[in-house]
């Protein structure tokens, strides 16, 4: 299902392109947009795409600190982070997200990370063998494009 959230889109574009310290401007004109996967576990994904969007404050803690986590591989998100639809039995949901990653800092797990080291805009690290994820530490650095509902096999 294609998601339409005009307010979130405007905030994302503003962060990506128009702000004084924009990701694209600080990265040679390229926001380095990546298509990644986000699972919400027990939280209904609509709270993100119908609400305030992706914000690091929604994460209490994680391997890479308080951040929004976006997986490279669907398999990683499916195993533990997919949202189980209430009353459906087996149906699950994941979001396909575009992330303005900008300059990406490669890091090892460190729960005390609060921001990437300047001049980086996001962090990439191994979350479990062989899976990697990207972490963002600023609001409006990602936009939910699709909500995928599926039955795991």
């Amino acid at each position: 299902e294609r998601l339409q959230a005009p307010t979130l889109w405007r905030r994302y574009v503003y962060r990506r392109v128009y702000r004084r310290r924009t990701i694209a401007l600080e990265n040679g004109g390229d926001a380095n947009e990546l298509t990644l996967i986000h699972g919400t576990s027990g939280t209904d994904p609509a709270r993100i795409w119908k609400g305030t969007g992706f914000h690091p404050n929604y994460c209490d803690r994680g391997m890479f600190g308080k951040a929004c986590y976006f997986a490279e591989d669907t398999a990683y998100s499916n195993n533990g982070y997919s949202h189980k639809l209430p009353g459906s039995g087996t149906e699950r949901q994941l979001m396909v997200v575009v992330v303005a990653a900008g300059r990406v800092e490669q890091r090892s797990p460190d729960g005390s990370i609060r921001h990437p080291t300047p001049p980086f805009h996001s962090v990439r690290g191994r979350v479990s063998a062989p899976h990697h994820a990207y972490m963002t530490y600023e609001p409006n650095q990602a936009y939910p494009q699709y909500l995928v509902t599926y039955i795991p096999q």
Side-chain angles (χ1 to χ4, degrees):
E1 166 186 358
R2 177 142 169 62
L3 302 176
Q4 302 276 332
T7 300
L8 294 183
W9 177 251
R10 282 191 295 276
R11 290 178 188 158
Y12 172 74
V13 170
Y14 182 74
R15 171 77 179 115
R16 184 188 69 184
V17 180
Y18 294 112
R19 249 178 57 172
R20 177 186 283 172
R21 285 193 58 239
T22 67
I23 294 170
L25 181 64
E26 293 178 352
N27 196 39
D30 180 11
N32 188 23
E33 289 183 289
L34 304 173
T35 301
L36 300 168
I37 306 298
H38 183 78
T40 61
S41 298
T43 302
D44 183 345
R47 288 191 62 195
I48 292 174
W49 68 271
K50 288 183 177 178
T52 58
F54 295 101
H55 198 293
N57 284 344
Y58 297 144
C59 176
D60 290 334
R61 65 189 138 167
M63 292 174 63
F64 293 86
K66 194 172 189 173
C68 297
Y69 289 69
F70 304 99
E72 292 178 344
D73 302 312
T74 305
Y76 177 76
S77 293
N78 178 58
N79 293 323
Y81 298 99
S82 59
H83 175 68
K84 184 177 179 186
L85 283 173
S88 73
T90 58
E91 284 188 316
R92 303 239 177 224
Q93 291 181 317
L94 291 170
M95 285 188 281
V96 177
V97 178
V98 61
V99 177
R103 291 185 191 144
V104 180
E105 180 181 17
Q106 301 292 324
R107 297 278 299 260
S108 297
D110 177 354
S112 69
I113 299 172
R114 293 292 172 247
H115 295 283
T117 308
F120 297 101
H121 303 102
S122 61
V123 168
R124 179 182 182 264
R126 185 184 208 158
V127 287
S128 74
H131 304 290
H132 289 80
Y134 287 80
M135 283 61 67
T136 62
Y137 298 82
E138 297 290 331
N140 306 315
Q141 203 168 328
Y143 177 77
Q145 291 184 308
Y146 298 94
L147 180 64
V148 179
T149 303
Y150 64 99
I151 298 173
Q153 297 187 2

Coordinates of all heavy atoms in Angstrom, one line a residue, residues 101-145:
A101 N 20.3 9.6 3.9 CA 21.4 9.1 4.7 C 22.6 10.1 4.7 O 23.4 10.1 5.7 CB 21.9 7.7 4.3
G102 N 22.7 10.9 3.6 CA 23.9 11.8 3.5 C 25.2 11.1 3.7 O 25.4 10.0 3.1
R103 N 26.1 11.7 4.4 CA 27.4 11.1 4.7 C 27.2 10.0 5.8 O 26.7 10.4 6.8 CB 28.4 12.1 5.1 CG 28.9 13.0 4.1 CD 30.0 13.9 4.6 NE 30.2 15.0 3.6 CZ 30.5 16.2 4.0 NH1 30.7 16.6 5.2 NH2 30.7 17.1 3.0
V104 N 27.6 8.8 5.5 CA 27.3 7.7 6.4 C 28.6 7.3 7.1 O 29.7 7.1 6.5 CB 26.8 6.5 5.6 CG1 26.5 5.3 6.6 CG2 25.5 6.9 4.8
E105 N 28.5 7.3 8.5 CA 29.6 6.9 9.3 C 29.5 5.4 9.6 O 28.5 5.0 10.1 CB 29.6 7.7 10.6 CG 30.7 7.4 11.6 CD 30.7 8.2 12.8 OE1 29.6 8.8 13.1 OE2 31.7 8.3 13.5
Q106 N 30.5 4.6 9.4 CA 30.5 3.2 9.7 C 30.9 3.1 11.2 O 32.0 3.6 11.6 CB 31.5 2.4 8.9 CG 31.3 2.5 7.4 CD 30.0 1.8 7.0 OE1 29.7 0.8 7.5 NE2 29.3 2.4 6.0
R107 N 30.1 2.4 12.0 CA 30.4 2.3 13.5 C 30.2 0.9 14.0 O 29.4 0.2 13.4 CB 29.5 3.3 14.3 CG 29.6 4.8 14.0 CD 30.7 5.4 14.8 NE 30.7 5.4 16.2 CZ 30.3 6.4 17.0 NH1 29.8 7.5 16.5 NH2 30.3 6.2 18.3
S108 N 30.8 0.6 15.1 CA 30.5 -0.6 15.8 C 29.4 -0.3 16.8 O 29.3 0.9 17.2 CB 31.8 -1.1 16.6 OG 32.8 -1.4 15.6
P109 N 28.7 -1.3 17.3 CA 27.7 -1.0 18.3 C 28.2 -0.2 19.5 O 29.2 -0.5 20.0 CB 27.2 -2.4 18.7 CG 27.5 -3.3 17.5 CD 28.8 -2.7 17.0
D110 N 27.4 0.8 19.9 CA 27.7 1.6 21.0 C 26.4 2.3 21.5 O 25.9 3.2 20.8 CB 28.8 2.6 20.7 CG 29.1 3.6 21.8 OD1 28.4 3.6 22.8 OD2 30.0 4.4 21.6
G111 N 25.8 1.8 22.5 CA 24.5 2.3 23.0 C 24.6 3.8 23.5 O 23.5 4.4 23.7
S112 N 25.7 4.4 23.5 CA 25.8 5.8 24.0 C 25.8 6.8 22.9 O 25.9 8.0 23.1 CB 27.1 6.0 24.9 OG 28.2 5.9 24.1
I113 N 25.8 6.3 21.6 CA 25.8 7.3 20.5 C 24.5 8.1 20.6 O 23.4 7.6 20.7 CB 25.8 6.5 19.1 CG1 27.1 5.7 19.0 CG2 25.7 7.5 18.0 CD1 27.1 4.7 17.8
R114 N 24.7 9.4 20.4 CA 23.6 10.4 20.4 C 23.5 11.1 19.0 O 22.4 11.5 18.7 CB 23.7 11.4 21.5 CG 23.6 10.8 22.9 CD 22.1 10.4 23.1 NE 22.0 9.6 24.4 CZ 21.8 8.3 24.5 NH1 21.6 7.6 23.4 NH2 21.7 7.7 25.6
H115 N 24.6 11.2 18.3 CA 24.6 11.8 17.0 C 25.8 11.2 16.3 O 26.8 10.8 16.9 CB 24.8 13.3 17.1 CG 23.7 14.0 17.7 ND1 22.5 14.2 17.1 CD2 23.5 14.5 19.0 CE1 21.7 14.9 17.9 NE2 22.3 15.0 19.0
P116 N 25.8 11.2 14.9 CA 27.0 10.8 14.2 C 28.1 11.8 14.4 O 27.8 13.0 14.7 CB 26.5 10.8 12.7 CG 25.1 10.9 12.7 CD 24.7 11.5 14.0
T117 N 29.3 11.4 14.3 CA 30.4 12.3 14.4 C 30.4 13.3 13.2 O 30.3 12.8 12.1 CB 31.8 11.5 14.4 OG1 31.7 10.5 15.3 CG2 33.0 12.4 14.6
P118 N 30.5 14.6 13.5 CA 30.6 15.5 12.3 C 31.7 15.2 11.4 O 32.8 14.8 11.9 CB 30.8 16.9 13.0 CG 30.3 16.7 14.4 CD 30.6 15.3 14.7
P119 N 31.6 15.2 10.1 CA 30.5 15.8 9.3 C 29.4 14.8 8.8 O 28.8 15.0 7.8 CB 31.2 16.4 8.1 CG 32.3 15.3 7.9 CD 32.7 14.8 9.2
F120 N 29.2 13.7 9.5 CA 28.3 12.6 9.1 C 26.9 12.9 9.4 O 26.6 13.7 10.4 CB 28.7 11.3 9.7 CG 30.1 10.8 9.2 CD1 31.2 11.0 10.0 CD2 30.3 10.3 8.0 CE1 32.5 10.6 9.6 CE2 31.5 9.9 7.5 CZ 32.6 10.0 8.3
H121 N 25.9 12.3 8.7 CA 24.5 12.6 8.9 C 23.8 11.3 9.4 O 22.7 11.4 9.9 CB 23.8 13.0 7.6 CG 24.4 14.2 7.0 ND1 25.3 14.1 5.9 CD2 24.3 15.5 7.3 CE1 25.7 15.4 5.6 NE2 25.1 16.2 6.4
S122 N 24.4 10.2 9.3 CA 23.8 8.9 9.7 C 24.9 7.9 10.1 O 26.1 8.2 9.7 CB 22.8 8.3 8.7 OG 23.5 8.0 7.5
V123 N 24.5 6.8 10.7 CA 25.4 5.8 11.1 C 25.0 4.5 10.4 O 23.8 4.2 10.3 CB 25.4 5.6 12.6 CG1 26.2 4.4 13.1 CG2 26.0 6.9 13.3
R124 N 25.9 3.7 10.0 CA 25.6 2.3 9.5 C 26.4 1.4 10.3 O 27.6 1.6 10.6 CB 26.0 2.2 8.0 CG 25.8 0.8 7.5 CD 26.2 0.7 6.0 NE 25.9 -0.6 5.5 CZ 26.8 -1.7 5.4 NH1 28.0 -1.5 5.9 NH2 26.4 -2.8 4.9
G125 N 25.8 0.3 10.8 CA 26.5 -0.7 11.6 C 25.8 -2.1 11.5 O 24.7 -2.2 11.0
R126 N 26.6 -3.1 11.9 CA 26.1 -4.5 11.9 C 25.2 -4.7 13.1 O 25.6 -4.4 14.3 CB 27.3 -5.4 12.0 CG 26.9 -6.8 11.9 CD 28.2 -7.7 12.1 NE 28.0 -8.9 11.3 CZ 29.1 -9.6 11.0 NH1 30.3 -9.2 11.2 NH2 28.8 -10.8 10.4
V127 N 24.0 -5.1 12.8 CA 23.0 -5.3 13.9 C 22.9 -6.8 14.3 O 22.5 -7.1 15.4 CB 21.6 -4.8 13.6 CG1 21.6 -3.2 13.7 CG2 21.1 -5.2 12.2
S128 N 23.2 -7.7 13.4 CA 23.4 -9.1 13.6 C 24.0 -9.7 12.3 O 23.7 -9.2 11.2 CB 22.1 -9.8 14.0 OG 21.2 -9.9 12.9
A129 N 24.7 -10.8 12.5 CA 25.4 -11.4 11.3 C 24.3 -11.9 10.4 O 23.4 -12.6 10.9 CB 26.4 -12.4 11.7
P130 N 24.3 -11.6 9.1 CA 25.1 -10.7 8.4 C 24.4 -9.4 8.1 O 24.7 -8.7 7.1 CB 25.2 -11.5 7.0 CG 23.9 -12.1 6.8 CD 23.4 -12.5 8.3
H131 N 23.5 -9.0 9.0 CA 22.6 -7.8 8.7 C 23.2 -6.5 9.2 O 23.8 -6.4 10.3 CB 21.3 -8.0 9.4 CG 20.6 -9.3 8.9 ND1 20.1 -9.5 7.7 CD2 20.4 -10.5 9.6 CE1 19.6 -10.7 7.5 NE2 19.8 -11.3 8.7
H132 N 23.0 -5.4 8.4 CA 23.4 -4.1 8.7 C 22.1 -3.2 8.7 O 21.2 -3.5 8.0 CB 24.4 -3.6 7.7 CG 25.7 -4.2 7.9 ND1 26.0 -5.4 7.3 CD2 26.9 -3.8 8.5 CE1 27.2 -5.8 7.6 NE2 27.8 -4.8 8.3
A133 N 22.2 -2.1 9.5 CA 21.2 -1.1 9.5 C 21.8 0.3 9.5 O 23.0 0.5 9.7 CB 20.3 -1.3 10.7
Y134 N 20.9 1.3 9.1 CA 21.3 2.7 9.1 C 20.5 3.3 10.3 O 19.3 3.0 10.5 CB 20.9 3.3 7.8 CG 21.8 3.0 6.7 CD1 21.6 1.8 6.0 CD2 22.8 3.8 6.2 CE1 22.4 1.4 4.9 CE2 23.6 3.5 5.2 CZ 23.4 2.3 4.5 OH 24.2 1.9 3.5
M135 N 21.2 4.2 11.0 CA 20.5 4.9 12.1 C 20.6 6.4 11.8 O 21.6 6.9 11.4 CB 21.3 4.6 13.4 CG 21.0 3.2 14.0 SD 21.4 1.8 13.0 CE 23.2 1.8 13.0
T136 N 19.4 7.0 12.1 CA 19.4 8.5 12.0 C 19.0 9.0 13.4 O 18.3 8.4 14.1 CB 18.3 9.0 10.9 OG1 17.0 8.5 11.4 CG2 18.6 8.4 9.6
Y137 N 19.5 10.2 13.6 CA 19.4 10.8 15.0 C 18.7 12.1 15.0 O 18.6 12.8 16.0 CB 20.8 10.9 15.6 CG 21.5 9.6 15.8 CD1 22.2 9.0 14.7 CD2 21.5 8.9 17.0 CE1 22.8 7.8 14.8 CE2 22.1 7.7 17.1 CZ 22.7 7.1 16.0 OH 23.3 5.9 16.1
E138 N 18.2 12.5 13.8 CA 17.4 13.7 13.7 C 16.0 13.4 13.2 O 15.8 12.5 12.4 CB 18.1 14.7 12.7 CG 19.5 15.1 13.1 CD 19.5 16.1 14.3 OE1 18.5 16.8 14.5 OE2 20.4 16.1 15.1
P139 N 15.0 14.2 13.6 CA 13.6 14.0 13.1 C 13.6 14.3 11.6 O 14.4 15.1 11.1 CB 12.8 15.0 13.9 CG 13.6 15.5 15.0 CD 15.1 15.2 14.6
N140 N 12.6 13.8 10.9 CA 12.3 14.1 9.5 C 13.4 13.7 8.5 O 13.5 14.3 7.5 CB 12.0 15.6 9.4 CG 10.9 16.0 10.3 OD1 9.9 15.3 10.4 ND2 11.1 17.1 11.0
Q141 N 14.2 12.8 8.9 CA 15.3 12.3 8.0 C 14.9 11.1 7.2 O 15.7 10.6 6.4 CB 16.6 12.1 8.8 CG 17.9 12.1 8.0 CD 19.1 12.1 8.8 OE1 19.1 12.6 9.9 NE2 20.2 11.6 8.3
A142 N 13.7 10.7 7.4 CA 13.1 9.5 6.6 C 11.6 9.7 6.3 O 11.0 10.5 7.1 CB 13.3 8.2 7.5
Y143 N 11.2 9.1 5.3 CA 9.8 9.2 4.9 C 9.2 7.8 4.6 O 9.8 7.1 3.8 CB 9.7 10.1 3.6 CG 8.2 10.2 3.2 CD1 7.3 11.0 3.8 CD2 7.8 9.5 2.0 CE1 6.0 11.1 3.4 CE2 6.5 9.6 1.6 CZ 5.6 10.4 2.3 OH 4.3 10.5 1.9
P144 N 8.1 7.4 5.2 CA 7.5 6.1 4.9 C 6.8 6.1 3.5 O 5.8 6.9 3.3 CB 6.5 6.0 6.0 CG 6.1 7.3 6.4 CD 7.3 8.2 6.1
Q145 N 7.3 5.3 2.6 CA 6.7 5.3 1.2 C 5.6 4.2 1.1 O 4.6 4.4 0.4 CB 7.8 5.0 0.2 CG 8.7 6.1 0.1 CD 9.7 5.8 -1.1 OE1 10.3 4.8 -1.1 NE2 9.9 6.8 -2.0

